[in-house]
Amino acid sequence: MTEGNIEYWYCDGCDKYFSDKAGTQEIALADTVIPKLTEHTADGAGWHSDEMNHWNTCECGEKLNEAAHTFEWVIDKEATATETGSKHEKCTVCGYEKAAVEIPATGTPSDTDTPSTDKTGDTISPATGKDGGAALWMAIMLAAGAALTGTAVYSRKRKYSK
């Protein structure tokens, strides 16, 4: 930044400087110079933040060092086979923390657990996320049928073309 000037008027007839347009308040040329402003300096209050960004504040009130958060996961409580856990995201720069989220229980039963039963006494199979894949099996059957048909047609054509 460089030096600047206040608003002033110059009379080239009398070679004088004035602080008013009417020329009634004479000033020296040196009085028109405004010193160079210092660089921005953080006010020492640390980081300020919102949901998206963090920043420092200058002594003049301007935002400095504004940037997006850089989050990493922090485990608050590990999940076990029977109990849920929790974790949250924390900014590595300013420490801003998002709300905690649940970590599902691992749900792996031990050998001593007994199977659950419904009212009729039948055991209930646990949900595995596998649905049997009927469409996959149909596709495999169709591909195998097409391969067998192709082989039969080829060998028959070869047999009768001799």
Side-chain angles (χ1 to χ4, degrees):
M1 300 185 161
T2 60
E3 293 180 338
N5 296 91
I6 63 167
E7 183 178 47
Y8 68 93
W9 287 262
Y10 173 72
C11 175
D12 57 1
C14 64
D15 196 29
K16 294 184 180 179
Y17 297 88
F18 300 93
S19 63
D20 62 328
K21 189 175 183 178
T24 59
Q25 300 292 320
E26 183 179 349
I27 56 173
L29 177 61
D31 295 335
T32 66
V33 178
I34 297 174
K36 175 182 171 181
L37 296 175
T38 58
E39 298 297 322
H40 289 285
T41 305
D43 62 5
W47 290 101
H48 303 277
S49 61
D50 59 19
E51 291 180 5
M52 302 299 293
N53 300 307
H54 53 251
W55 63 89
N56 298 113
T57 304
C58 178
E59 293 171 343
C60 72
E62 188 172 331
K63 283 184 179 181
L64 304 173
N65 308 319
E66 186 172 13
H69 291 296
T70 52
F71 289 110
E72 70 179 7
W73 285 105
V74 176
I75 304 295
D76 301 317
K77 180 183 174 194
E78 290 285 343
T80 65
T82 58
E83 293 184 20
T84 60
S86 66
K87 64 182 179 178
H88 69 276
E89 287 182 285
K90 183 176 182 177
C91 179
T92 60
V93 177
C94 70
Y96 177 83
E97 295 181 358
K98 289 185 177 181
V101 295
E102 185 177 282
I103 303 171
T106 58
T108 53
S110 67
D111 293 335
T112 60
D113 290 341
T114 57
S116 60
T117 59
D118 64 9
K119 293 179 183 175
T120 62
D122 296 332
T123 60
I124 300 171
S125 299
T128 62
K130 306 277 183 184
D131 61 355
L136 174 64
W137 287 109
M138 281 294 254
I140 291 171
M141 295 287 282
L142 287 172
L148 284 173
T149 303
T151 303
V153 168
Y154 177 75
S155 69
R156 186 172 232 173
K157 185 177 181 183
R158 189 171 179 207
K159 183 178 179 181
Y160 289 111
S161 66
K162 288 184 181 180

